[in-house]
Amino acid sequence: MIELKGLTKTYGRGTKQTTALADLDLNVGKGEIFGVIGHSGAGKSTLIRCINLLERPTAGEVWVDGVNLTALSKTELQQQRRKIGMIFQHFNLLSSATVYDNVAFPLKLVNTPKAEIDRKVKELLALVGLEHHSSKYPAQLSGGQKQRVGIARALASDPAVLLCDEATSALDPQTTASILKLLMDINKKYNLTIVLITHEMHVIQSICDQVAVIHQGGIVEQGPVTDVFLKPQHAITRDFMQRDHESELLLEEAALAHAGGTAQQDGRSQLVKISFLGDKTYEAILSRTVRQTGVDFAILQGTISRIKQIPYGQLTVRFEGDAEAIGRTVHELNEQGLDVEVLR
């Protein structure tokens, strides 16, 4: 659906030249919610603005729905952009226009018949839950309501792709959750491909199917959110995970310290982290396995949560008993589809 090939973007010239994106490749499948996460200055805003050529790449190609946007004329590009909606961090609404007129604006630009505009605007306002606010002005709305207007406006042209530029970073947590749910509902209803950029891992965890981690203008890690979230490979990804789960990490560090002392005392214990995914999160796999192997265990720290709609759990566990039996326990858990990492 979206393919970026060797995307490079530089600003300035000579010694003052800055590289925002460096030979970047990226593929987004049709109907996916694809997240791009990175720190400030990593290049994520430049990346998303290159997809609809609001920023024209210095080199490389941008393909959307089988069309090479970088090879189009100005007129052809304008036509293709109608297939790409975009919502912004600070809403970018017309302050002197009503909610109705903000949503109708892109339709009026292409001379859509008045009756069709009226039908479409009312349909979209109902979709985003603002059907009773059509005559209000942006100044009369909350931040979440303004973003809902922005979403409705972005959908007015029936786009195949929706780009979200830090769409929730100006919102409080409760409003963020409602906007993310709305985006997920829209994705399901219209099979709309959504690309969102953020610096918040919980946003990625809540709604994304795939994620790419951007650092210094390049993609350093990407894949299904379940893989990247549970097994981060790059230091930048691990940094995001640590920021998002500081309290859990403190508990885990305390568990490590405690287990370290116990291990030194008897030499018959091992500390492991067990990760569960999907339905296995709620199965009694651990208790069945230790009954078979004769190993005792103590749960030192644990969490159960969701990645999008997929449940997952992580336990920090101390096994106690014969070394061979502990080894057999770890092997059996791995054989049953759990991910067991020996910590100490």
Side-chain angles (χ1 to χ4, degrees), residues 109-321:
L109 285 178
V110 293
N111 299 314
T112 305
K114 187 175 180 180
E116 175 63 14
I117 290 176
D118 189 61
R119 182 196 67 79
K120 190 69 175 179
V121 171
K122 288 178 178 177
E123 174 189 316
L124 289 171
L125 289 179
L127 175 69
V128 300
L130 293 178
E131 59 267 45
H132 302 302
H133 299 269
S134 62
S135 61
K136 290 184 179 180
Y137 290 86
Q140 297 173 286
L141 304 177
S142 67
Q145 289 171 332
K146 290 176 183 176
Q147 195 57 283
R148 286 172 181 269
V149 177
I151 292 170
R153 181 183 60 187
L155 296 176
S157 299
D158 296 318
V161 174
L162 180 63
L163 307 179
C164 305
D165 187 359
E166 294 276 13
T168 61
S169 61
L171 306 175
D172 63 75
Q174 185 175 358
T175 305
T176 291
S178 70
I179 294 297
L180 294 178
K181 183 181 183 303
L182 175 60
L183 290 174
M184 194 156 55
D185 291 344
I186 289 169
N187 167 257
K188 288 180 181 178
K189 183 172 183 177
Y190 298 109
N191 195 32
L192 188 66
T193 303
I194 298 177
V195 179
L196 64 87
I197 65 166
T198 183
H199 61 274
E200 299 170 304
M201 197 66 194
H202 74 89
V203 171
I204 301 293
Q205 178 188 351
S206 297
I207 69 168
C208 291
D209 304 299
Q210 301 275 331
V211 61
V213 183
I214 187 169
H215 179 60
Q216 295 181 346
I219 302 299
V220 297
E221 186 168 358
Q222 64 178 302
V225 175
T226 49
D227 292 348
V228 176
F229 188 85
L230 295 177
K231 298 179 182 179
Q233 301 298 311
H234 195 275
I236 293 297
T237 313
R238 290 194 292 271
D239 179 56
F240 276 112
M241 299 302 301
Q242 289 170 2
R243 289 170 184 267
D244 207 50
H245 296 287
E246 265 185 35
S247 59
E248 292 177 21
L249 284 166
L250 288 172
L251 287 170
E252 188 173 301
E253 287 173 5
L256 282 164
H258 176 76
T262 304
Q264 289 171 3
Q265 289 172 14
D266 56 28
R268 290 167 52 82
S269 69
Q270 189 170 69
L271 191 72
V272 301
K273 178 187 282 187
I274 305 173
S275 297
F276 309 76
L277 189 64
D279 293 339
K280 294 182 185 296
T281 304
Y282 304 113
E283 295 179 16
I285 297 173
L286 177 60
S287 61
R288 287 200 304 265
T289 302
V290 296
R291 280 201 302 271
Q292 294 170 1
T293 60
V295 169
D296 290 326
F297 72 97
I299 297 176
L300 304 179
Q301 189 265 334
T303 59
I304 294 179
S305 189
R306 285 182 177 270
I307 298 174
K308 199 171 182 180
Q309 296 176 324
I310 303 173
Y312 78 94
Q314 288 186 319
L315 297 177
T316 303
V317 175
R318 185 180 66 237
F319 288 134
E320 298 175 350

